[in-house]
Amino acid sequence: MDRRPLVVGNWKMHGSIASARALARAVASRGAAYPNIDIAICPPFLHLGVVAHELRSSRVELGAQTLSEFEHGAYTGEIAAAMLSDIGCHWVIVGHSERRALFGDSIFAVAAKSEAAVAAGLTPIICVGETLVERKNGTTNELLLEQLRPFTENGCVRLHKAVIAYEPVWAIGTGETASPNEAQEVHEFIRATIAKHNAPLADSIRLLYGGSVKPDNAAELFAMSDVDGGLIGGASLKAEDFMQICGAAS
Ligand code: PEP
């Protein structure tokens, strides 16, 4: 099955309104050069409005970095899926390792957030991945099975409109990258796990790799048969680097 490549920029908690506007403008204008891939950028919440404005007539789509699992109500400080959709988001990252490790997003909260996203018409980008200790202990697959469990129930019904990003925690923001073969091995495992529950979905679902993807390693990672694109942190903050990564995917 031909899976359309997808490159997503996760800007994390960086920038100002002015820098977000400038970066979004650059990505919007240069995104036109890659019509055969999907491109999305995920700025901080407060910059979604200004970035949405810059992307309005481009083919680059808007995403958010997290969301509330609740629909609406007395949840001080939270942002609902419908609000993200309202401001123009198509995508939302859920279960990023920083959210799991620093903000207590549990496996169940990640599943609930993903469900809230789908209910509002958003596509969740579900992040999974092991720590260095887990990799060294040989428990990577076990951990992945645990993180995927809420999603593989009932024939993977929760994955019907989702993307999975494999992001080894030891490779995020560290300059360490999984080798193409290491990435492929895990992507193959994730796809095989989904296939046990829903073979057609396993074939069509997009699996992104994330973790220190840069212009000089993107092409070899994206060349692997089960790697359908990337979730890009640091390198998405520089238009030139991000566009070169998009070029590698295209
Ligand atoms: C990320 O945080 O999703 C990520 C992949 O970061 P980086 O590319 O900076 O490693």
Side-chain angles (χ1 to χ4, degrees):
M1 140 104 40
D2 271 346
R3 293 177 294 265
R4 192 174 159 81
L6 167 66
V7 178
V8 181
N10 172 12
W11 291 3
K12 308 197 185 187
M13 197 174 74
H14 291 293
S16 61
I17 290 175
S19 69
R21 181 182 289 120
L23 183 53
R25 191 170 290 175
V27 174
S29 71
R30 296 176 62 177
Y34 308 107
N36 60 333
I37 67 168
D38 292 329
I39 306 173
I41 49 181
C42 304
F45 284 139
L46 283 177
H47 300 161
L48 284 171
V50 73
V51 171
H53 185 75
E54 292 302 326
L55 300 185
R56 68 197 178 284
S57 50
S58 93
R59 48 177 311 282
V60 176
E61 294 185 326
L62 186 65
Q65 300 173 15
T66 184
L67 78 166
S68 173
E69 63 211 79
F70 303 110
E71 210 179 319
H72 54 78
Y75 301 106
T76 303
E78 291 291 276
I79 305 284
M83 295 171 182
L84 296 179
S85 175
D86 195 28
I87 207 163
C89 288
H90 286 88
W91 304 87
V92 62
I93 299 169
V94 297
H96 190 283
S97 61
E98 288 152 15
R99 300 281 335 161
R100 293 184 195 253
L102 304 172
F103 302 101
D105 284 11
S106 68
I107 287 178
F108 303 103
V110 173
K113 286 177 185 220
S114 176
E115 210 152 291
V118 173
L122 301 167
T123 301
I125 300 165
I126 304 159
C127 300
V128 296
E130 80 288 3
T131 61
L132 190 56
V133 172
E134 286 155 346
R135 175 156 281 259
K136 284 191 169 154
N137 289 345
T139 54
T140 297
N141 290 359
E142 235 170 86
L143 183 272
L144 291 169
L145 286 178
E146 197 183 324
Q147 290 181 333
L148 289 170
R149 189 162 302 123
F151 295 98
T152 50
E153 287 165 0
N154 302 324
C156 297
V157 68
R158 282 181 165 137
L159 291 179
H160 280 177
K161 199 190 165 212
V163 166
I164 293 178
Y166 167 57
E167 298 207 305
V169 179
W170 48 271
I172 295 180
T174 59
E176 289 270 335
T177 319
S179 70
N181 285 332
E182 281 171 331
Q184 169 60 24
E185 196 180 322
V186 175
H187 281 227
E188 214 173 298
F189 174 75
I190 294 172
R191 211 179 286 288
T193 301
I194 296 169
K196 284 188 190 148
H197 303 269
N198 186 328
L201 181 70
D203 206 27
S204 63
I205 192 168
R206 289 186 285 188
L207 305 182
L208 309 184
Y209 170 78
S212 297
V213 178
K214 306 279 181 237
D216 59 2
N217 61 20
E220 54 180 12
L221 286 159
F222 298 162
M224 305 313 286
S225 60
D226 284 301
V227 178
D228 306 312
L231 179 54
I232 318 299
S236 71
L237 294 169
K238 290 186 194 139
E240 182 57 37
D241 286 5
F242 187 63
M243 297 330 293
Q244 280 189 34
I245 292 169
C246 289
S250 104

